[in-house]
Amino acid sequence: MVSRPVAQDDRPSSGRSARRGKRRGRGWLIALAVLVVLLVGADFGAAAFAEHTISQKARQQLELANDPAVTVHGFPFLTQALSGDYSHITINAQGVAVPPRLRDVDFNADMSDVTAPLSDLTSGNTKSIVIGTLKGEVTIKAADIARQAPLDKIENLKIEPVTEDYVRNGDSGQGETKPTATNENGEPVDTASTGIRVSGNVQIAGQKVEIFCFAMIELDGQKIRLEPKRLQFGNDKETTVVPQAVQDALLPNFNATIDTGAMPFSVTPTSVRVNSGSVTIKGEGKNVAFSGAKPQG
């Protein structure tokens, strides 16, 4: 039997095999990329669902007009969801009413080591959510402060931060805006008391006069107390020292106690900070139940 020579076209082509291998490799890479995109999308979608669930429950408990902003930090989310342990969640809410008299405060919660079983979260049940460490801030605006007696007698009330030294000593001290205490980075340190400047218009002998009160504001349990130290007449560009007899008559108008009620999540107040136009109270809680979000009077 005579064998037929192998034709050129019948011989294996190393070039075609390499090209087929490259095509298969590209196909696997594309499939892997698509899978990664789908997994990332699913992760973000699941995180968005959890954030929406927590936001709606927080809105109900805090009795808000709108959903607060909720962020579940950390990636991937699904590993946290499956274990039921979340390292970091933040909630930012505005327009929170805090009994008995505050109507429009801002609340920020920074939550760490949160335990939330997946089955409860998917069903919308937040009663079993426990927050290992919660750092909360309640910011009270000047408009709310102006409703508190006897400050409600002052028109166009404004507040600004000042140092304790300036409150007590005025121009003979170290200055009005220098922080009284700083950390190693030079940032102001929040304390249980600080200086505050309250200004507004009052009626004196039938005339409307702008007056500045320099006071100390301090925490007292669930309340903040305003202890006035001295007064000045004038405006932001020029002020006049008020005679002592007049100060003695007017200072009680600035001696106020503001009941902040219980902070959301029953956080214990630890420090107070004065901002331009507002006062912020900070607090911290351990092993806090999410179901305790609503502040109590």
Side-chain angles (χ1 to χ4, degrees), residues 141-252:
K141 301 166 188 174
D144 256 347
I145 294 175
R147 297 188 185 99
Q148 315 304 313
L151 300 177
D152 53 355
K153 299 176 183 177
I154 302 168
E155 297 180 16
N156 194 28
L157 184 141
K158 300 176 183 177
I159 58 176
E160 295 291 340
V162 294
T163 67
E164 179 178 353
D165 182 72
Y166 194 83
V167 167
R168 299 183 184 280
N169 303 310
D171 293 331
S172 63
Q174 297 178 359
E176 185 171 348
T177 59
K178 181 180 177 182
T180 55
T182 59
N183 59 21
E184 58 184 8
N185 298 320
E187 300 169 335
V189 176
D190 295 322
T191 58
S193 65
T194 188
I196 184 172
R197 188 190 77 179
V198 180
S199 63
N201 300 320
V202 296
Q203 294 289 333
I204 300 178
Q207 293 186 341
K208 183 182 293 186
V209 178
E210 184 178 31
I211 196 165
F212 292 85
C213 174
F214 297 89
M216 293 300 297
I217 185 170
E218 61 182 19
L219 286 175
D220 183 8
Q222 300 288 355
K223 300 177 182 179
I224 51 176
R225 299 188 185 279
L226 223 64
E227 185 180 351
K229 298 298 183 182
R230 61 184 184 86
L231 301 174
Q232 288 181 344
F233 288 138
N235 52 48
D236 286 327
K237 296 182 179 179
E238 183 178 353
T239 57
T240 303
V241 176
V242 179
Q244 189 60 50
V246 179
Q247 291 204 44
D248 293 341
L250 293 179
L251 278 174

Side-chain angles (χ1 to χ4, degrees), residues 10-269:
D10 294 334
R11 296 192 186 101
S13 172
S14 59
R16 272 181 283 180
S17 298
R19 285 194 294 272
R20 283 195 292 269
K22 290 180 179 179
R23 286 196 294 269
R24 285 195 293 268
R26 285 196 296 269
W28 280 111
L29 288 175
I30 292 172
L32 180 60
V34 170
L35 179 61
V36 169
V37 170
L38 290 175
L39 289 174
V40 170
D43 192 85
F44 278 104
F49 171 78
E51 290 169 351
H52 179 68
T53 300
I54 296 173
S55 179
Q56 284 193 319
K57 294 299 180 181
R59 176 182 177 178
Q60 292 175 9
Q61 294 190 50
L62 296 174
E63 299 180 351
L64 303 174
N66 301 302
D67 290 348
V70 175
T71 302
V72 179
H73 300 269
F75 180 83
F77 167 80
L78 288 175
T79 57
Q80 298 184 82
L82 291 173
S83 66
D85 296 321
Y86 301 83
S87 59
H88 188 200
I89 299 176
T90 55
I91 298 179
N92 301 302
Q94 297 179 336
V96 181
V98 179
R101 293 186 178 88
L102 303 179
R103 306 176 187 174
D104 182 23
V105 306
D106 294 341
F107 176 70
N108 297 318
D110 193 290
M111 301 179 287
S112 303
D113 302 325
V114 180
T115 301
L118 179 60
S119 59
D120 290 338
L121 200 59
T122 54
S123 65
N125 178 20
T126 57
K127 293 182 179 180
S128 59
I129 296 180
V130 178
I131 305 160
T133 300
L134 188 148
K135 296 180 180 179
E137 293 186 2
V138 169
T139 298
I140 307 169
K141 301 166 188 174
D144 256 347
I145 294 175
R147 297 188 185 99
Q148 315 304 313
L151 300 177
D152 53 355
K153 299 176 183 177
I154 302 168
E155 297 180 16
N156 194 28
L157 184 141
K158 300 176 183 177
I159 58 176
E160 295 291 340
V162 294
T163 67
E164 179 178 353
D165 182 72
Y166 194 83
V167 167
R168 299 183 184 280
N169 303 310
D171 293 331
S172 63
Q174 297 178 359
E176 185 171 348
T177 59
K178 181 180 177 182
T180 55
T182 59
N183 59 21
E184 58 184 8
N185 298 320
E187 300 169 335
V189 176
D190 295 322
T191 58
S193 65
T194 188
I196 184 172
R197 188 190 77 179
V198 180
S199 63
N201 300 320
V202 296
Q203 294 289 333
I204 300 178
Q207 293 186 341
K208 183 182 293 186
V209 178
E210 184 178 31
I211 196 165
F212 292 85
C213 174
F214 297 89
M216 293 300 297
I217 185 170
E218 61 182 19
L219 286 175
D220 183 8
Q222 300 288 355
K223 300 177 182 179
I224 51 176
R225 299 188 185 279
L226 223 64
E227 185 180 351
K229 298 298 183 182
R230 61 184 184 86
L231 301 174
Q232 288 181 344
F233 288 138
N235 52 48
D236 286 327
K237 296 182 179 179
E238 183 178 353
T239 57
T240 303
V241 176
V242 179
Q244 189 60 50
V246 179
Q247 291 204 44
D248 293 341
L250 293 179
L251 278 174
N253 291 315
F254 295 88
N255 194 346
T257 298
I258 303 171
D259 188 352
T260 62
M263 293 179 69
F265 295 99
S266 300
V267 171
T268 302

